[in-house]
């Protein structure tokens, strides 16, 4: 297996550059077949590395990028006014074959725009989508789009379903992923204009479409892949993360209110570490942006070192399994099916 | 305090009539100043009562309703084809002053439609909204609309904000509720067409509007009232309920995998009962439909006796605190403010 090169935006995120560099160094130690390129203001990044490690690990390097995209910048900034920003240079490196994938905890809009415009799109896909792995009691559900497309058309949701199907098969190991459409009410007629029209499109898609999925189906195992527009997906994702954080805060509180509770809490703690890990978004590291060529992992703005380390792991898996190629194959296969379907319906009309 | 009369749809819900009647009898025992009228097929309801209680409690009565609205019926059914349905008769009783409020776990659309058309709307409110109390680590957040309006306009979201404000003050005891608009991204420009336009409307509303709220703000205490359209609200509500059920399932699992864990689990259980209660939607009983005259509490289709009992408690509080009048007062106050604002801006133009 060749070395996998990952460009990491060292300047992106609420806790950059410190936590990003720290997470990148942890990933470099854990994934020895990974080459990590930290992209950012060289002297700043160098200082962070030196503060953590006496010697720069051999699989870590720095590429200088003078500008930084902030939350106030427009998503288009890396393409127009900030061409020397770390996000833009990460994207350029993937485009030019100097890196296999990029990871950024910077502004989602700017990352998304840079990846889409610089990396280019998989043929047959118009819109990339952010895909998030959501925990279930047993297994996981893939939810997409969780924030790349505020508005989406039925055709885009069909694209998300195709891409989610591939990701679920290849990375999550689901043999025949059940695809649901996020809506309200199970019946076909339920939902808003977008979901009603998308229902018809997905029914004819040739995918294993199980119909409308309600909010509860994200966590109960009725579907493996659930598609929605990026507005709804983002609201649900953030609400879920916050709810699970709230539960743990309350659990800690209930188990520390007096000496007896503290003692019992201490006993129970190790038994809950598995569950805590499964509920912690930092463990999932980042959401892959499906649909672009190469790989692009979008991290939470609040990412700490652990989240960055895990995002680099996700990028590694993404490249290793050639997800973009697998999506391209699936798109081609679906296209061939569609051509057959149209041809056969036309020939039956002629008969 | 006069007796409060609550019409309960005995035939509505996945577990009707058994669980509904059981919950109603529990409520009748708990709330002695409450008169509960079970509306449904008399012989069926009678049989359920007899099976539970040797003697019908003095504050429980039956009103016969021959028809039952099913999930397959159109929401308009109680107004057209099923005028003798239990939902319709509950609404008629409130309209005619024979009951103060209604409670139903039947089809949400049919309940909503019956309440809106038969009870009538508070003057100045065009659309009723389902309001759900969401748990936080400390306190609660009111989320609305959680499913009455699949589509909503900015003006409707303003109405939801006004109604949520009153409910939060009167029932939840929040002195000056902070109102947020559910969107993605905190900044004014972030979101979809609906939220961008609503942001402008809410900024001028005279309410304590704190701007966009993200999904996470439902659970972190940044806002007291959060408004959204019924599609997004319903998806988030069902996802949250399901996620919290999933956490408890996983907790139980982790604390029962072997003898040691079972033992520790047994010790910790009593300390978690408070939290479990706060996370259980059945404890909140049902979502009040704000904006209609009188009271209408919409329950989960999956409601068990506990949920029905709590929904009756919510209805009781609703009537006791005259929420509909309080909303009417707030609407009038906001209207007066608006008249002043327009008058003063016109007079300044004349100067």
């Amino acid at each position: 297996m060749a070395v996998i090169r990952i460009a990491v935006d060292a300047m992106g995120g609420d806790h950059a550059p410190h936590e990003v560099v720290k997470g990148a160094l942890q990933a470099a130690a854990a994934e020895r077949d990974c080459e990590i390129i930290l992209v950012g203001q060289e002297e700043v990044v160098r200082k962070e590395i030196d503060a953590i490690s006496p010697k720069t690990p051999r699989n870590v390097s720095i590429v200088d990028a003078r500008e930084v995209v902030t939350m106030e910048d427009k998503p288009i900034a890396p393409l127009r006014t900030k061409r020397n920003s770390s996000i833009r240079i990460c994207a350029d490196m993937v485009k030019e074959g100097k890196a296999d994938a990029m990871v950024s905890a910077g502004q989602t809009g700017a990352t998304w725009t840079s990846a889409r415009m610089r990396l280019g799109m998989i043929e047959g896909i118009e819109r990339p989508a952010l895909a998030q792995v959501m925990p279930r009691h047993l297994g996981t559900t893939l939810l997409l789009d969780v924030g790349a497309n505020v508005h989406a058309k039925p055709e885009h949701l069909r694209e998300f379903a195709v891409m989610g199907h591939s990701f679920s098969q290849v990375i999550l190991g689901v043999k025949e992923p059940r695809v649901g459409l996020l809506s309200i009410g199970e019946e076909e007629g339920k939902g808003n204009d977008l979901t009603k029209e998308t229902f018809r499109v997905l029914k004819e898609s040739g995918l294993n479409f199980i119909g409308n999925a309600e909010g509860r189906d994200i966590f109960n195992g009725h579907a493996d892949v659930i598609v929605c527009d990026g507005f709804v997906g983002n609201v649900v994702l953030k609400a879920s993360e916050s709810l699970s954080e709230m539960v743990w805060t309350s659990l800690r509180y209930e188990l520390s209110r007096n000496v007896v509770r503290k003692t019992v809490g201490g006993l129970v703690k190790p038994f809950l570490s598995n569950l805590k890990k499964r509920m912690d978004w930092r463990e999932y590291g980042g959401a892959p942006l499906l649909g672009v060529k190469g790989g692009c992992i979008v991290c939470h703005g609040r990412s700490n070192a652990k989240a960055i380390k895990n995002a680099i792991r996700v990028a590694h898996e993404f490249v290793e399994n050639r997800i973009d190629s697998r999506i391209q194959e699936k798109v081609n296969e679906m296209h061939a099916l569609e051509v057959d379907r149209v041809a056969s319906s036309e020939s039956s009309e002629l008969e």
Side-chain angles (χ1 to χ4, degrees), chain A:
Chain A
M1 179 75 207
V3 165
I4 289 172
R5 298 153 307 161
I6 297 170
V8 177
D9 171 10
M11 313 306 281
D14 301 350
H15 308 301
H18 180 69
E19 291 288 320
V20 178
V21 171
K22 195 172 153 193
L25 292 182
Q26 289 172 2
E31 327 229 2
R32 306 300 295 175
D33 63 340
C34 219
E35 192 185 314
I36 291 168
I37 307 144
L38 286 162
V39 182
Q41 289 164 340
E42 191 166 1
E43 66 287 1
V44 174
V45 178
R46 168 70 53 208
K47 214 177 123 189
E48 290 291 345
I49 296 178
D50 291 346
I52 297 166
S53 163
K55 211 176 120 214
T56 306
R58 58 144 200 86
N59 57 342
V60 172
S61 58
I62 306 177
V63 164
D64 190 41
R66 300 317 303 163
E67 291 171 307
V68 177
V69 173
T70 68
M71 291 307 284
E72 285 66 43
D73 282 317
K74 292 209 168 123
I76 199 82
L79 300 173
R80 299 268 170 82
T81 52
K82 291 193 169 173
R83 296 180 192 214
N84 290 312
S85 61
S86 49
I87 289 181
R88 163 70 182 259
I89 292 178
C90 284
D92 283 350
M93 289 184 71
V94 177
K95 180 185 169 63
E96 292 160 8
K98 293 175 185 161
D100 300 301
M102 64 182 281
V103 169
S104 177
Q107 195 204 108
T108 301
T111 307
W112 179 88
T113 309
S114 303
R116 185 181 177 189
M117 302 310 285
R118 300 300 297 163
L119 274 54
M121 299 297 297
I122 287 171
E123 208 179 314
I125 298 289
E126 198 182 320
R127 295 279 195 95
L130 277 171
Q132 181 71 43
V133 176
M134 309 289 277
R136 298 197 308 237
H137 174 49
L138 303 169
T140 55
T141 304
L142 189 72
L143 180 69
L144 73 167
D145 172 32
V146 296
N149 307 277
V150 174
H151 301 101
K153 293 179 184 163
E155 191 47 40
H156 300 141
L157 266 65
R158 196 189 63 83
E159 293 178 2
F160 302 169
V162 172
M163 297 192 293
H165 181 278
S166 296
F167 190 88
S168 178
Q169 272 192 335
V170 180
I171 297 283
L172 305 175
V174 182
K175 214 166 171 190
E176 197 54 56
R178 296 157 299 166
V179 177
L181 169 65
L182 194 56
S183 187
I184 61 178
E186 292 165 16
E187 302 81 6
E188 174 163 359
K190 297 282 175 76
N192 59 19
D193 296 341
L194 173 64
T195 64
K196 284 180 200 168
E197 183 56 33
T198 306
F199 196 106
R200 282 188 283 274
V201 171
L202 286 177
K203 226 167 48 173
E204 295 187 348
S205 67
L207 293 166
N208 182 13
F209 176 55
I210 59 161
N212 283 344
E214 294 194 281
R216 61 176 182 228
D217 296 320
I218 299 171
F219 298 103
N220 67 9
H222 287 188
D224 300 300
V225 175
I226 295 183
V227 294
C228 59
D229 70 55
F231 184 91
V232 175
N234 188 270
V235 167
V236 171
L237 171 64
K238 288 191 174 157
S240 304
E241 287 172 357
S242 173
L243 173 55
S244 85
E245 283 181 357
M246 188 270 265
V247 172
W248 289 107
T249 303
S250 300
L251 261 176
R252 250 199 316 274
Y253 172 79
E254 295 292 346
L255 295 178
S256 65
R257 285 168 65 184
N258 59 39
V259 179
V260 176
R261 287 181 176 226
K262 257 187 206 158
T263 312
V264 177
L267 290 173
V268 86
K269 207 176 161 192
F271 302 150
L272 300 183
S273 61
N274 248 341
L275 176 59
K276 188 164 194 296
K277 204 170 162 180
R278 280 169 51 76
M279 302 298 298
D280 183 0
W281 57 265
R282 295 169 194 85
E283 293 290 339
Y284 296 87
L289 184 68
L290 303 182
V292 296
K293 290 181 187 163
C296 173
I297 310 299
V298 177
C299 304
H300 236 289
R302 294 191 285 151
S303 289
N304 61 5
K306 178 163 80 172
I308 297 292
K309 180 193 164 194
N310 284 316
I312 293 172
R313 176 184 48 74
V314 173
H316 187 279
E317 280 177 12
F318 197 96
V319 174
E320 204 170 22
N321 290 284
R322 300 169 39 253
I323 296 295
D324 59 344
S325 311
R326 299 296 290 268
I327 291 175
Q328 183 69 70
E329 287 160 24
K330 187 76 187 166
V331 169
N332 296 347
E333 180 197 317
M334 302 303 284
H335 182 69
L337 272 178
E338 178 66 13
V339 169
D340 280 355
R341 199 175 65 81
V342 171
S344 79
S345 85
E346 276 173 4
S347 70
S348 70
E349 273 169 30
L350 289 173
E351 272 163 17

mmCIF file of all heavy atoms in Angstrom, chain A residues 154 181 186-190 194-204 209-212:
data_model
loop_
_atom_site.group_PDB
_atom_site.id
_atom_site.type_symbol
_atom_site.label_atom_id
_atom_site.label_comp_id
_atom_site.label_asym_id
_atom_site.label_seq_id
_atom_site.Cartn_x
_atom_site.Cartn_y
_atom_site.Cartn_z
ATOM 1 N N PRO A 154 -35.194 17.431 -5.664
ATOM 2 C CA PRO A 154 -35.342 15.971 -5.587
ATOM 3 C C PRO A 154 -34.178 15.235 -6.260
ATOM 4 O O PRO A 154 -33.693 14.235 -5.739
ATOM 5 C CB PRO A 154 -36.657 15.723 -6.336
ATOM 6 C CG PRO A 154 -37.435 16.974 -6.123
ATOM 7 C CD PRO A 154 -36.429 18.091 -6.127
ATOM 8 N N LEU A 181 -36.053 8.305 3.267
ATOM 9 C CA LEU A 181 -36.161 9.735 2.980
ATOM 10 C C LEU A 181 -36.689 10.426 4.233
ATOM 11 O O LEU A 181 -37.796 10.099 4.691
ATOM 12 C CB LEU A 181 -37.139 9.926 1.813
ATOM 13 C CG LEU A 181 -37.610 11.341 1.496
ATOM 14 C CD1 LEU A 181 -36.446 12.206 1.030
ATOM 15 C CD2 LEU A 181 -38.703 11.289 0.414
ATOM 16 N N GLU A 186 -45.023 8.274 7.881
ATOM 17 C CA GLU A 186 -44.447 7.176 7.105
ATOM 18 C C GLU A 186 -45.017 7.077 5.702
ATOM 19 O O GLU A 186 -44.358 6.614 4.780
ATOM 20 C CB GLU A 186 -44.719 5.842 7.821
ATOM 21 C CG GLU A 186 -43.976 5.685 9.132
ATOM 22 C CD GLU A 186 -44.534 4.548 9.982
ATOM 23 O OE1 GLU A 186 -45.282 3.709 9.440
ATOM 24 O OE2 GLU A 186 -44.225 4.510 11.175
ATOM 25 N N GLU A 187 -46.266 7.486 5.534
ATOM 26 C CA GLU A 187 -46.958 7.253 4.274
ATOM 27 C C GLU A 187 -46.406 8.137 3.149
ATOM 28 O O GLU A 187 -45.922 9.237 3.397
ATOM 29 C CB GLU A 187 -48.463 7.503 4.445
ATOM 30 C CG GLU A 187 -49.113 6.650 5.525
ATOM 31 C CD GLU A 187 -48.906 7.197 6.944
ATOM 32 O OE1 GLU A 187 -48.357 8.299 7.087
ATOM 33 O OE2 GLU A 187 -49.289 6.484 7.893
ATOM 34 N N GLU A 188 -46.558 7.644 1.917
ATOM 35 C CA GLU A 188 -46.002 8.334 0.749
ATOM 36 C C GLU A 188 -46.447 9.793 0.662
ATOM 37 O O GLU A 188 -45.674 10.672 0.323
ATOM 38 C CB GLU A 188 -46.393 7.578 -0.538
ATOM 39 C CG GLU A 188 -45.970 8.337 -1.792
ATOM 40 C CD GLU A 188 -45.945 7.483 -3.049
ATOM 41 O OE1 GLU A 188 -46.245 6.281 -2.969
ATOM 42 O OE2 GLU A 188 -45.602 8.032 -4.111
ATOM 43 N N GLY A 189 -47.729 10.059 0.966
ATOM 44 C CA GLY A 189 -48.261 11.409 0.782
ATOM 45 C C GLY A 189 -47.817 12.414 1.841
ATOM 46 O O GLY A 189 -48.085 13.605 1.717
ATOM 47 N N LYS A 190 -47.150 11.927 2.899
ATOM 48 C CA LYS A 190 -46.769 12.804 4.005
ATOM 49 C C LYS A 190 -45.466 13.560 3.731
ATOM 50 O O LYS A 190 -44.561 13.001 3.133
ATOM 51 C CB LYS A 190 -46.599 11.974 5.298
ATOM 52 C CG LYS A 190 -47.870 11.292 5.782
ATOM 53 C CD LYS A 190 -48.813 12.251 6.483
ATOM 54 C CE LYS A 190 -50.135 11.603 6.859
ATOM 55 N NZ LYS A 190 -50.047 10.721 8.015
ATOM 56 N N LEU A 194 -40.795 19.115 -1.203
ATOM 57 C CA LEU A 194 -39.543 18.463 -1.582
ATOM 58 C C LEU A 194 -39.609 16.958 -1.360
ATOM 59 O O LEU A 194 -39.243 16.167 -2.239
ATOM 60 C CB LEU A 194 -38.378 19.058 -0.769
ATOM 61 C CG LEU A 194 -37.026 18.357 -0.953
ATOM 62 C CD1 LEU A 194 -36.515 18.483 -2.385
ATOM 63 C CD2 LEU A 194 -35.970 18.917 0.018
ATOM 64 N N THR A 195 -40.110 16.527 -0.186
ATOM 65 C CA THR A 195 -40.084 15.091 0.100
ATOM 66 C C THR A 195 -41.114 14.342 -0.749
ATOM 67 O O THR A 195 -40.864 13.212 -1.158
ATOM 68 C CB THR A 195 -40.315 14.786 1.596
ATOM 69 O OG1 THR A 195 -41.627 15.205 1.965
ATOM 70 C CG2 THR A 195 -39.291 15.492 2.473
ATOM 71 N N LYS A 196 -42.244 14.980 -1.020
ATOM 72 C CA LYS A 196 -43.255 14.280 -1.829
ATOM 73 C C LYS A 196 -42.714 13.990 -3.231
ATOM 74 O O LYS A 196 -42.897 12.906 -3.769
ATOM 75 C CB LYS A 196 -44.527 15.119 -1.929
ATOM 76 C CG LYS A 196 -45.358 15.082 -0.647
ATOM 77 C CD LYS A 196 -46.607 15.923 -0.790
ATOM 78 C CE LYS A 196 -47.161 16.296 0.574
ATOM 79 N NZ LYS A 196 -48.184 17.336 0.500
ATOM 80 N N GLU A 197 -42.051 14.971 -3.806
ATOM 81 C CA GLU A 197 -41.499 14.796 -5.145
ATOM 82 C C GLU A 197 -40.314 13.823 -5.114
ATOM 83 O O GLU A 197 -40.172 12.963 -5.980
ATOM 84 C CB GLU A 197 -41.067 16.168 -5.689
ATOM 85 C CG GLU A 197 -40.526 16.171 -7.103
ATOM 86 C CD GLU A 197 -41.465 15.574 -8.134
ATOM 87 O OE1 GLU A 197 -42.692 15.714 -7.960
ATOM 88 O OE2 GLU A 197 -40.968 14.945 -9.098
ATOM 89 N N THR A 198 -39.492 13.938 -4.072
ATOM 90 C CA THR A 198 -38.326 13.054 -3.958
ATOM 91 C C THR A 198 -38.756 11.603 -3.777
ATOM 92 O O THR A 198 -38.096 10.680 -4.270
ATOM 93 C CB THR A 198 -37.431 13.488 -2.773
ATOM 94 O OG1 THR A 198 -37.091 14.872 -2.934
ATOM 95 C CG2 THR A 198 -36.156 12.664 -2.710
ATOM 96 N N PHE A 199 -39.869 11.396 -3.089
ATOM 97 C CA PHE A 199 -40.385 10.043 -2.878
ATOM 98 C C PHE A 199 -40.571 9.358 -4.229
ATOM 99 O O PHE A 199 -40.128 8.213 -4.436
ATOM 100 C CB PHE A 199 -41.711 10.096 -2.111
ATOM 101 C CG PHE A 199 -42.140 8.783 -1.519
ATOM 102 C CD1 PHE A 199 -42.047 8.560 -0.154
ATOM 103 C CD2 PHE A 199 -42.643 7.767 -2.325
ATOM 104 C CE1 PHE A 199 -42.437 7.336 0.398
ATOM 105 C CE2 PHE A 199 -43.043 6.553 -1.774
ATOM 106 C CZ PHE A 199 -42.939 6.346 -0.412
ATOM 107 N N ARG A 200 -41.202 10.067 -5.154
ATOM 108 C CA ARG A 200 -41.427 9.504 -6.498
ATOM 109 C C ARG A 200 -40.112 9.186 -7.198
ATOM 110 O O ARG A 200 -39.964 8.142 -7.825
ATOM 111 C CB ARG A 200 -42.242 10.489 -7.346
ATOM 112 C CG ARG A 200 -43.729 10.475 -7.021
ATOM 113 C CD ARG A 200 -44.518 11.306 -8.012
ATOM 114 N NE ARG A 200 -44.383 12.733 -7.749
ATOM 115 C CZ ARG A 200 -45.152 13.411 -6.887
ATOM 116 N NH1 ARG A 200 -46.109 12.797 -6.218
ATOM 117 N NH2 ARG A 200 -44.969 14.692 -6.694
ATOM 118 N N VAL A 201 -39.156 10.111 -7.066
ATOM 119 C CA VAL A 201 -37.854 9.924 -7.721
ATOM 120 C C VAL A 201 -37.125 8.714 -7.139
ATOM 121 O O VAL A 201 -36.572 7.886 -7.871
ATOM 122 C CB VAL A 201 -36.995 11.208 -7.571
ATOM 123 C CG1 VAL A 201 -35.569 10.969 -8.036
ATOM 124 C CG2 VAL A 201 -37.634 12.365 -8.332
ATOM 125 N N LEU A 202 -37.139 8.580 -5.822
ATOM 126 C CA LEU A 202 -36.406 7.482 -5.186
ATOM 127 C C LEU A 202 -37.064 6.122 -5.433
ATOM 128 O O LEU A 202 -36.389 5.097 -5.509
ATOM 129 C CB LEU A 202 -36.260 7.733 -3.676
ATOM 130 C CG LEU A 202 -35.241 8.817 -3.293
ATOM 131 C CD1 LEU A 202 -35.236 9.042 -1.783
ATOM 132 C CD2 LEU A 202 -33.825 8.448 -3.766
ATOM 133 N N LYS A 203 -38.390 6.146 -5.571
ATOM 134 C CA LYS A 203 -39.113 4.896 -5.827
ATOM 135 C C LYS A 203 -38.654 4.264 -7.132
ATOM 136 O O LYS A 203 -38.649 3.041 -7.282
ATOM 137 C CB LYS A 203 -40.622 5.191 -5.889
ATOM 138 C CG LYS A 203 -41.442 4.218 -5.101
ATOM 139 C CD LYS A 203 -42.882 4.616 -4.875
ATOM 140 C CE LYS A 203 -43.618 5.088 -6.103
ATOM 141 N NZ LYS A 203 -45.074 5.288 -5.771
ATOM 142 N N GLU A 204 -38.259 5.110 -8.060
ATOM 143 C CA GLU A 204 -37.832 4.606 -9.373
ATOM 144 C C GLU A 204 -36.326 4.537 -9.513
ATOM 145 O O GLU A 204 -35.809 4.341 -10.610
ATOM 146 C CB GLU A 204 -38.401 5.528 -10.462
ATOM 147 C CG GLU A 204 -39.914 5.487 -10.508
ATOM 148 C CD GLU A 204 -40.470 6.258 -11.691
ATOM 149 O OE1 GLU A 204 -39.694 6.993 -12.331
ATOM 150 O OE2 GLU A 204 -41.669 6.096 -11.967
ATOM 151 N N PHE A 209 -34.986 1.410 -1.659
ATOM 152 C CA PHE A 209 -35.665 2.540 -1.018
ATOM 153 C C PHE A 209 -36.811 2.033 -0.140
ATOM 154 O O PHE A 209 -37.706 1.348 -0.615
ATOM 155 C CB PHE A 209 -36.188 3.493 -2.091
ATOM 156 C CG PHE A 209 -36.979 4.655 -1.549
ATOM 157 C CD1 PHE A 209 -36.444 5.496 -0.582
ATOM 158 C CD2 PHE A 209 -38.257 4.919 -2.021
ATOM 159 C CE1 PHE A 209 -37.164 6.575 -0.083
ATOM 160 C CE2 PHE A 209 -38.991 5.996 -1.527
ATOM 161 C CZ PHE A 209 -38.438 6.817 -0.558
ATOM 162 N N ILE A 210 -36.772 2.382 1.145
ATOM 163 C CA ILE A 210 -37.787 1.868 2.073
ATOM 164 C C ILE A 210 -38.881 2.889 2.372
ATOM 165 O O ILE A 210 -39.709 2.673 3.255
ATOM 166 C CB ILE A 210 -37.155 1.388 3.395
ATOM 167 C CG1 ILE A 210 -36.387 2.551 4.075
ATOM 168 C CG2 ILE A 210 -36.218 0.214 3.168
ATOM 169 C CD1 ILE A 210 -36.127 2.309 5.543
ATOM 170 N N GLY A 211 -38.866 4.030 1.675
ATOM 171 C CA GLY A 211 -39.920 5.035 1.883
ATOM 172 C C GLY A 211 -39.505 6.120 2.864
ATOM 173 O O GLY A 211 -38.316 6.292 3.139
ATOM 174 N N ASN A 212 -40.494 6.832 3.372
ATOM 175 C CA ASN A 212 -40.212 7.902 4.322
ATOM 176 C C ASN A 212 -39.624 7.346 5.614
ATOM 177 O O ASN A 212 -40.052 6.298 6.101
ATOM 178 C CB ASN A 212 -41.494 8.662 4.675
ATOM 179 C CG ASN A 212 -41.911 9.620 3.571
ATOM 180 O OD1 ASN A 212 -41.118 9.942 2.678
ATOM 181 N ND2 ASN A 212 -43.149 10.086 3.635
#
